[in-house]
Amino acid sequence: MIGFIFECGPQGADKHVCEYLASQLRPGVKLISRTMDNKLKLLAGAASVAKSLLDEGCERVLIVWDLRPAWPDKKEKPCRAAERQTLLDALTKAGLQGQPVYLVCVEQELESWLLADETKLSAYLSTDSRAYSAPRTRRPDDVVNPKSRVMKYFKEARGLRYEDYVHAVKVVKTGTVNPQRLRQSKSFARFEDKLSC
């Protein structure tokens, strides 16, 4: 059993995409997710939620958050190192140092993973009457605003407004999961590694 803690709400894109990918990468494993609504609440409360998930029998817990969430909590520039340290300090205070609790900061946001496999974006955005070819993004974690890039592709291809909570999991479910392509995102590679390390 794997536990997840997300910064989004119960219907958030991060939750649905990560659960789907985990089910494909670790078939048959039971998944339990807890959502914290935003990054501030995740940073403040993830340690106690992780302890509860371990107490419920999870073999490991992944705390997953976006470096640049769609609804930032602060006006200052986000810092992965500072956020990581906040979580590590909270885990230590909760007596979870050395326990199988892993931190996965998605850089920059979930759409980085969508950009990592342009074949899925292309397949989802193509129609019977018009094929669409999303450009390849070699370093998706370096794209400063991946959500706006995905929005641009949706508009170009089908005149659609991209809504992460609706479309992200549909894109990921298009075709089979190709971990090799997704590993172009280092944060996805960390997510994959922590599912079974």
PDB file of all heavy atoms in Angstrom, residues 16-46:
ATOM      1  N   HIS A  16      -5.171  12.891  -9.458  1.00  0.00           N
ATOM      2  CA  HIS A  16      -5.648  11.936 -10.461  1.00  0.00           C
ATOM      3  C   HIS A  16      -4.526  11.434 -11.372  1.00  0.00           C
ATOM      4  O   HIS A  16      -4.450  10.248 -11.678  1.00  0.00           O
ATOM      5  CB  HIS A  16      -6.793  12.541 -11.271  1.00  0.00           C
ATOM      6  CG  HIS A  16      -8.027  12.747 -10.451  1.00  0.00           C
ATOM      7  ND1 HIS A  16      -8.734  11.705  -9.880  1.00  0.00           N
ATOM      8  CD2 HIS A  16      -8.671  13.875 -10.066  1.00  0.00           C
ATOM      9  CE1 HIS A  16      -9.753  12.179  -9.206  1.00  0.00           C
ATOM     10  NE2 HIS A  16      -9.739  13.502  -9.290  1.00  0.00           N
ATOM     11  N   VAL A  17      -3.650  12.335 -11.782  1.00  0.00           N
ATOM     12  CA  VAL A  17      -2.545  11.943 -12.665  1.00  0.00           C
ATOM     13  C   VAL A  17      -1.571  11.028 -11.929  1.00  0.00           C
ATOM     14  O   VAL A  17      -1.182   9.977 -12.442  1.00  0.00           O
ATOM     15  CB  VAL A  17      -1.824  13.185 -13.237  1.00  0.00           C
ATOM     16  CG1 VAL A  17      -0.503  12.803 -13.893  1.00  0.00           C
ATOM     17  CG2 VAL A  17      -2.726  13.902 -14.242  1.00  0.00           C
ATOM     18  N   CYS A  18      -1.187  11.391 -10.720  1.00  0.00           N
ATOM     19  CA  CYS A  18      -0.220  10.569  -9.970  1.00  0.00           C
ATOM     20  C   CYS A  18      -0.799   9.203  -9.626  1.00  0.00           C
ATOM     21  O   CYS A  18      -0.099   8.189  -9.712  1.00  0.00           O
ATOM     22  CB  CYS A  18       0.229  11.297  -8.708  1.00  0.00           C
ATOM     23  SG  CYS A  18       1.321  12.707  -9.033  1.00  0.00           S
ATOM     24  N   GLU A  19      -2.066   9.159  -9.238  1.00  0.00           N
ATOM     25  CA  GLU A  19      -2.685   7.864  -8.937  1.00  0.00           C
ATOM     26  C   GLU A  19      -2.725   6.983 -10.188  1.00  0.00           C
ATOM     27  O   GLU A  19      -2.436   5.783 -10.107  1.00  0.00           O
ATOM     28  CB  GLU A  19      -4.103   8.067  -8.401  1.00  0.00           C
ATOM     29  CG  GLU A  19      -4.151   8.589  -6.994  1.00  0.00           C
ATOM     30  CD  GLU A  19      -5.561   8.888  -6.504  1.00  0.00           C
ATOM     31  OE1 GLU A  19      -6.499   8.988  -7.331  1.00  0.00           O
ATOM     32  OE2 GLU A  19      -5.719   9.034  -5.277  1.00  0.00           O
ATOM     33  N   TYR A  20      -3.072   7.572 -11.322  1.00  0.00           N
ATOM     34  CA  TYR A  20      -3.119   6.777 -12.556  1.00  0.00           C
ATOM     35  C   TYR A  20      -1.721   6.263 -12.922  1.00  0.00           C
ATOM     36  O   TYR A  20      -1.548   5.073 -13.221  1.00  0.00           O
ATOM     37  CB  TYR A  20      -3.696   7.592 -13.721  1.00  0.00           C
ATOM     38  CG  TYR A  20      -3.673   6.800 -15.006  1.00  0.00           C
ATOM     39  CD1 TYR A  20      -4.583   5.763 -15.225  1.00  0.00           C
ATOM     40  CD2 TYR A  20      -2.715   7.040 -15.975  1.00  0.00           C
ATOM     41  CE1 TYR A  20      -4.541   5.000 -16.371  1.00  0.00           C
ATOM     42  CE2 TYR A  20      -2.665   6.284 -17.137  1.00  0.00           C
ATOM     43  CZ  TYR A  20      -3.581   5.267 -17.330  1.00  0.00           C
ATOM     44  OH  TYR A  20      -3.523   4.505 -18.479  1.00  0.00           O
ATOM     45  N   LEU A  21      -0.734   7.145 -12.890  1.00  0.00           N
ATOM     46  CA  LEU A  21       0.629   6.718 -13.239  1.00  0.00           C
ATOM     47  C   LEU A  21       1.130   5.651 -12.267  1.00  0.00           C
ATOM     48  O   LEU A  21       1.745   4.665 -12.685  1.00  0.00           O
ATOM     49  CB  LEU A  21       1.573   7.926 -13.253  1.00  0.00           C
ATOM     50  CG  LEU A  21       1.365   8.911 -14.406  1.00  0.00           C
ATOM     51  CD1 LEU A  21       2.213  10.163 -14.200  1.00  0.00           C
ATOM     52  CD2 LEU A  21       1.693   8.258 -15.745  1.00  0.00           C
ATOM     53  N   ALA A  22       0.858   5.830 -10.986  1.00  0.00           N
ATOM     54  CA  ALA A  22       1.282   4.836  -9.992  1.00  0.00           C
ATOM     55  C   ALA A  22       0.624   3.490 -10.266  1.00  0.00           C
ATOM     56  O   ALA A  22       1.265   2.433 -10.159  1.00  0.00           O
ATOM     57  CB  ALA A  22       0.957   5.315  -8.585  1.00  0.00           C
ATOM     58  N   SER A  23      -0.654   3.508 -10.654  1.00  0.00           N
ATOM     59  CA  SER A  23      -1.359   2.237 -10.931  1.00  0.00           C
ATOM     60  C   SER A  23      -0.789   1.540 -12.159  1.00  0.00           C
ATOM     61  O   SER A  23      -0.819   0.314 -12.249  1.00  0.00           O
ATOM     62  CB  SER A  23      -2.862   2.490 -11.115  1.00  0.00           C
ATOM     63  OG  SER A  23      -3.132   3.125 -12.358  1.00  0.00           O
ATOM     64  N   GLN A  24      -0.233   2.310 -13.088  1.00  0.00           N
ATOM     65  CA  GLN A  24       0.373   1.717 -14.278  1.00  0.00           C
ATOM     66  C   GLN A  24       1.797   1.222 -14.007  1.00  0.00           C
ATOM     67  O   GLN A  24       2.225   0.215 -14.547  1.00  0.00           O
ATOM     68  CB  GLN A  24       0.395   2.745 -15.432  1.00  0.00           C
ATOM     69  CG  GLN A  24      -0.980   3.211 -15.872  1.00  0.00           C
ATOM     70  CD  GLN A  24      -1.865   2.058 -16.308  1.00  0.00           C
ATOM     71  OE1 GLN A  24      -1.571   1.370 -17.279  1.00  0.00           O
ATOM     72  NE2 GLN A  24      -2.938   1.810 -15.564  1.00  0.00           N
ATOM     73  N   LEU A  25       2.507   1.958 -13.163  1.00  0.00           N
ATOM     74  CA  LEU A  25       3.896   1.607 -12.854  1.00  0.00           C
ATOM     75  C   LEU A  25       4.004   0.528 -11.784  1.00  0.00           C
ATOM     76  O   LEU A  25       4.987  -0.217 -11.747  1.00  0.00           O
ATOM     77  CB  LEU A  25       4.662   2.858 -12.410  1.00  0.00           C
ATOM     78  CG  LEU A  25       4.778   3.957 -13.466  1.00  0.00           C
ATOM     79  CD1 LEU A  25       5.257   5.259 -12.840  1.00  0.00           C
ATOM     80  CD2 LEU A  25       5.709   3.532 -14.598  1.00  0.00           C
ATOM     81  N   ARG A  26       3.004   0.446 -10.902  1.00  0.00           N
ATOM     82  CA  ARG A  26       2.965  -0.575  -9.848  1.00  0.00           C
ATOM     83  C   ARG A  26       1.597  -1.252  -9.870  1.00  0.00           C
ATOM     84  O   ARG A  26       0.771  -1.046  -8.974  1.00  0.00           O
ATOM     85  CB  ARG A  26       3.190   0.059  -8.468  1.00  0.00           C
ATOM     86  CG  ARG A  26       4.540   0.654  -8.174  1.00  0.00           C
ATOM     87  CD  ARG A  26       5.587  -0.343  -7.687  1.00  0.00           C
ATOM     88  NE  ARG A  26       5.164  -1.255  -6.665  1.00  0.00           N
ATOM     89  CZ  ARG A  26       5.290  -1.068  -5.347  1.00  0.00           C
ATOM     90  NH1 ARG A  26       5.813   0.041  -4.890  1.00  0.00           N
ATOM     91  NH2 ARG A  26       4.890  -1.991  -4.502  1.00  0.00           N
ATOM     92  N   PRO A  27       1.319  -2.038 -10.923  1.00  0.00           N
ATOM     93  CA  PRO A  27      -0.009  -2.652 -11.056  1.00  0.00           C
ATOM     94  C   PRO A  27      -0.369  -3.478  -9.817  1.00  0.00           C
ATOM     95  O   PRO A  27       0.462  -4.185  -9.257  1.00  0.00           O
ATOM     96  CB  PRO A  27       0.136  -3.559 -12.279  1.00  0.00           C
ATOM     97  CG  PRO A  27       1.332  -3.063 -13.006  1.00  0.00           C
ATOM     98  CD  PRO A  27       2.232  -2.444 -11.991  1.00  0.00           C
ATOM     99  N   GLY A  28      -1.614  -3.336  -9.399  1.00  0.00           N
ATOM    100  CA  GLY A  28      -2.115  -4.134  -8.280  1.00  0.00           C
ATOM    101  C   GLY A  28      -1.870  -3.539  -6.911  1.00  0.00           C
ATOM    102  O   GLY A  28      -2.442  -4.001  -5.928  1.00  0.00           O
ATOM    103  N   VAL A  29      -1.019  -2.514  -6.813  1.00  0.00           N
ATOM    104  CA  VAL A  29      -0.744  -1.939  -5.497  1.00  0.00           C
ATOM    105  C   VAL A  29      -1.924  -1.060  -5.080  1.00  0.00           C
ATOM    106  O   VAL A  29      -2.542  -0.390  -5.907  1.00  0.00           O
ATOM    107  CB  VAL A  29       0.584  -1.141  -5.493  1.00  0.00           C
ATOM    108  CG1 VAL A  29       0.457   0.178  -6.230  1.00  0.00           C
ATOM    109  CG2 VAL A  29       1.085  -0.906  -4.082  1.00  0.00           C
ATOM    110  N   LYS A  30      -2.249  -1.092  -3.795  1.00  0.00           N
ATOM    111  CA  LYS A  30      -3.329  -0.259  -3.271  1.00  0.00           C
ATOM    112  C   LYS A  30      -2.782   1.136  -3.004  1.00  0.00           C
ATOM    113  O   LYS A  30      -1.677   1.292  -2.482  1.00  0.00           O
ATOM    114  CB  LYS A  30      -3.885  -0.870  -1.980  1.00  0.00           C
ATOM    115  CG  LYS A  30      -5.072  -0.113  -1.437  1.00  0.00           C
ATOM    116  CD  LYS A  30      -5.670  -0.796  -0.220  1.00  0.00           C
ATOM    117  CE  LYS A  30      -6.837   0.043   0.303  1.00  0.00           C
ATOM    118  NZ  LYS A  30      -7.367  -0.450   1.549  1.00  0.00           N
ATOM    119  N   LEU A  31      -3.563   2.155  -3.371  1.00  0.00           N
ATOM    120  CA  LEU A  31      -3.154   3.546  -3.209  1.00  0.00           C
ATOM    121  C   LEU A  31      -4.115   4.259  -2.259  1.00  0.00           C
ATOM    122  O   LEU A  31      -5.326   4.076  -2.345  1.00  0.00           O
ATOM    123  CB  LEU A  31      -3.163   4.268  -4.560  1.00  0.00           C
ATOM    124  CG  LEU A  31      -2.399   3.590  -5.700  1.00  0.00           C
ATOM    125  CD1 LEU A  31      -2.655   4.318  -7.007  1.00  0.00           C
ATOM    126  CD2 LEU A  31      -0.911   3.532  -5.392  1.00  0.00           C
ATOM    127  N   ILE A  32      -3.560   5.047  -1.353  1.00  0.00           N
ATOM    128  CA  ILE A  32      -4.367   5.875  -0.451  1.00  0.00           C
ATOM    129  C   ILE A  32      -3.859   7.303  -0.581  1.00  0.00           C
ATOM    130  O   ILE A  32      -2.660   7.553  -0.442  1.00  0.00           O
ATOM    131  CB  ILE A  32      -4.226   5.426   1.017  1.00  0.00           C
ATOM    132  CG1 ILE A  32      -4.727   4.002   1.199  1.00  0.00           C
ATOM    133  CG2 ILE A  32      -4.974   6.375   1.934  1.00  0.00           C
ATOM    134  CD1 ILE A  32      -4.568   3.489   2.613  1.00  0.00           C
ATOM    135  N   SER A  33      -4.760   8.223  -0.861  1.00  0.00           N
ATOM    136  CA  SER A  33      -4.368   9.623  -1.039  1.00  0.00           C
ATOM    137  C   SER A  33      -5.040  10.525  -0.021  1.00  0.00           C
ATOM    138  O   SER A  33      -6.188  10.313   0.347  1.00  0.00           O
ATOM    139  CB  SER A  33      -4.747  10.105  -2.449  1.00  0.00           C
ATOM    140  OG  SER A  33      -4.011   9.413  -3.419  1.00  0.00           O
ATOM    141  N   ARG A  34      -4.286  11.545   0.387  1.00  0.00           N
ATOM    142  CA  ARG A  34      -4.813  12.609   1.227  1.00  0.00           C
ATOM    143  C   ARG A  34      -4.492  13.927   0.523  1.00  0.00           C
ATOM    144  O   ARG A  34      -3.394  14.100   0.003  1.00  0.00           O
ATOM    145  CB  ARG A  34      -4.169  12.619   2.615  1.00  0.00           C
ATOM    146  CG  ARG A  34      -4.371  11.344   3.397  1.00  0.00           C
ATOM    147  CD  ARG A  34      -5.811  11.182   3.870  1.00  0.00           C
ATOM    148  NE  ARG A  34      -5.968  10.022   4.723  1.00  0.00           N
ATOM    149  CZ  ARG A  34      -6.380   8.835   4.310  1.00  0.00           C
ATOM    150  NH1 ARG A  34      -6.678   8.642   3.036  1.00  0.00           N
ATOM    151  NH2 ARG A  34      -6.517   7.829   5.148  1.00  0.00           N
ATOM    152  N   THR A  35      -5.452  14.840   0.508  1.00  0.00           N
ATOM    153  CA  THR A  35      -5.238  16.125  -0.143  1.00  0.00           C
ATOM    154  C   THR A  35      -5.232  17.230   0.905  1.00  0.00           C
ATOM    155  O   THR A  35      -5.975  17.183   1.875  1.00  0.00           O
ATOM    156  CB  THR A  35      -6.330  16.389  -1.202  1.00  0.00           C
ATOM    157  OG1 THR A  35      -7.617  16.325  -0.580  1.00  0.00           O
ATOM    158  CG2 THR A  35      -6.257  15.363  -2.327  1.00  0.00           C
ATOM    159  N   MET A  36      -4.379  18.228   0.670  1.00  0.00           N
ATOM    160  CA  MET A  36      -4.176  19.297   1.652  1.00  0.00           C
ATOM    161  C   MET A  36      -4.679  20.667   1.163  1.00  0.00           C
ATOM    162  O   MET A  36      -4.485  21.660   1.843  1.00  0.00           O
ATOM    163  CB  MET A  36      -2.679  19.397   2.004  1.00  0.00           C
ATOM    164  CG  MET A  36      -2.042  18.098   2.468  1.00  0.00           C
ATOM    165  SD  MET A  36      -2.630  17.513   4.047  1.00  0.00           S
ATOM    166  CE  MET A  36      -1.914  18.711   5.148  1.00  0.00           C
ATOM    167  N   ASP A  37      -5.238  20.734  -0.028  1.00  0.00           N
ATOM    168  CA  ASP A  37      -5.836  21.944  -0.616  1.00  0.00           C
ATOM    169  C   ASP A  37      -4.856  22.984  -1.160  1.00  0.00           C
ATOM    170  O   ASP A  37      -5.112  23.575  -2.187  1.00  0.00           O
ATOM    171  CB  ASP A  37      -6.816  22.632   0.339  1.00  0.00           C
ATOM    172  CG  ASP A  37      -8.039  21.786   0.611  1.00  0.00           C
ATOM    173  OD1 ASP A  37      -8.500  21.096  -0.319  1.00  0.00           O
ATOM    174  OD2 ASP A  37      -8.528  21.802   1.752  1.00  0.00           O
ATOM    175  N   ASN A  38      -3.750  23.229  -0.481  1.00  0.00           N
ATOM    176  CA  ASN A  38      -2.767  24.180  -1.015  1.00  0.00           C
ATOM    177  C   ASN A  38      -1.388  23.903  -0.407  1.00  0.00           C
ATOM    178  O   ASN A  38      -1.260  23.103   0.522  1.00  0.00           O
ATOM    179  CB  ASN A  38      -3.205  25.638  -0.774  1.00  0.00           C
ATOM    180  CG  ASN A  38      -3.345  25.980   0.698  1.00  0.00           C
ATOM    181  OD1 ASN A  38      -2.438  25.757   1.498  1.00  0.00           O
ATOM    182  ND2 ASN A  38      -4.500  26.535   1.068  1.00  0.00           N
ATOM    183  N   LYS A  39      -0.398  24.583  -0.954  1.00  0.00           N
ATOM    184  CA  LYS A  39       0.975  24.302  -0.530  1.00  0.00           C
ATOM    185  C   LYS A  39       1.239  24.687   0.925  1.00  0.00           C
ATOM    186  O   LYS A  39       1.949  23.959   1.633  1.00  0.00           O
ATOM    187  CB  LYS A  39       1.980  25.018  -1.446  1.00  0.00           C
ATOM    188  CG  LYS A  39       3.405  24.523  -1.227  1.00  0.00           C
ATOM    189  CD  LYS A  39       4.452  25.392  -1.872  1.00  0.00           C
ATOM    190  CE  LYS A  39       4.452  25.291  -3.357  1.00  0.00           C
ATOM    191  NZ  LYS A  39       5.645  25.932  -3.958  1.00  0.00           N
ATOM    192  N   LEU A  40       0.691  25.800   1.378  1.00  0.00           N
ATOM    193  CA  LEU A  40       0.916  26.199   2.779  1.00  0.00           C
ATOM    194  C   LEU A  40       0.415  25.135   3.743  1.00  0.00           C
ATOM    195  O   LEU A  40       1.089  24.797   4.720  1.00  0.00           O
ATOM    196  CB  LEU A  40       0.228  27.535   3.072  1.00  0.00           C
ATOM    197  CG  LEU A  40       0.938  28.795   2.597  1.00  0.00           C
ATOM    198  CD1 LEU A  40       0.130  30.029   2.964  1.00  0.00           C
ATOM    199  CD2 LEU A  40       2.339  28.893   3.172  1.00  0.00           C
ATOM    200  N   LYS A  41      -0.765  24.594   3.472  1.00  0.00           N
ATOM    201  CA  LYS A  41      -1.311  23.545   4.332  1.00  0.00           C
ATOM    202  C   LYS A  41      -0.484  22.268   4.224  1.00  0.00           C
ATOM    203  O   LYS A  41      -0.294  21.565   5.220  1.00  0.00           O
ATOM    204  CB  LYS A  41      -2.768  23.272   3.979  1.00  0.00           C
ATOM    205  CG  LYS A  41      -3.707  24.392   4.391  1.00  0.00           C
ATOM    206  CD  LYS A  41      -5.146  24.076   4.029  1.00  0.00           C
ATOM    207  CE  LYS A  41      -6.074  25.213   4.413  1.00  0.00           C
ATOM    208  NZ  LYS A  41      -7.461  24.964   3.989  1.00  0.00           N
ATOM    209  N   LEU A  42       0.015  21.982   3.027  1.00  0.00           N
ATOM    210  CA  LEU A  42       0.858  20.791   2.862  1.00  0.00           C
ATOM    211  C   LEU A  42       2.143  20.937   3.671  1.00  0.00           C
ATOM    212  O   LEU A  42       2.528  20.028   4.412  1.00  0.00           O
ATOM    213  CB  LEU A  42       1.187  20.567   1.387  1.00  0.00           C
ATOM    214  CG  LEU A  42       2.090  19.360   1.122  1.00  0.00           C
ATOM    215  CD1 LEU A  42       1.529  18.499   0.000  1.00  0.00           C
ATOM    216  CD2 LEU A  42       3.497  19.790   0.760  1.00  0.00           C
ATOM    217  N   LEU A  43       2.792  22.091   3.557  1.00  0.00           N
ATOM    218  CA  LEU A  43       4.047  22.298   4.290  1.00  0.00           C
ATOM    219  C   LEU A  43       3.825  22.227   5.801  1.00  0.00           C
ATOM    220  O   LEU A  43       4.670  21.718   6.530  1.00  0.00           O
ATOM    221  CB  LEU A  43       4.668  23.641   3.899  1.00  0.00           C
ATOM    222  CG  LEU A  43       5.172  23.755   2.456  1.00  0.00           C
ATOM    223  CD1 LEU A  43       5.606  25.182   2.149  1.00  0.00           C
ATOM    224  CD2 LEU A  43       6.300  22.780   2.170  1.00  0.00           C
ATOM    225  N   ALA A  44       2.686  22.713   6.246  1.00  0.00           N
ATOM    226  CA  ALA A  44       2.405  22.734   7.685  1.00  0.00           C
ATOM    227  C   ALA A  44       1.922  21.392   8.226  1.00  0.00           C
ATOM    228  O   ALA A  44       2.203  21.053   9.378  1.00  0.00           O
ATOM    229  CB  ALA A  44       1.363  23.817   7.987  1.00  0.00           C
ATOM    230  N   GLY A  45       1.199  20.619   7.423  1.00  0.00           N
ATOM    231  CA  GLY A  45       0.545  19.433   7.971  1.00  0.00           C
ATOM    232  C   GLY A  45       0.914  18.089   7.398  1.00  0.00           C
ATOM    233  O   GLY A  45       0.417  17.056   7.858  1.00  0.00           O
ATOM    234  N   ALA A  46       1.786  18.054   6.388  1.00  0.00           N
ATOM    235  CA  ALA A  46       2.088  16.781   5.729  1.00  0.00           C
ATOM    236  C   ALA A  46       2.734  15.763   6.658  1.00  0.00           C
ATOM    237  O   ALA A  46       2.488  14.559   6.530  1.00  0.00           O
ATOM    238  CB  ALA A  46       2.978  17.015   4.508  1.00  0.00           C
TER     239      ALA A  46
END
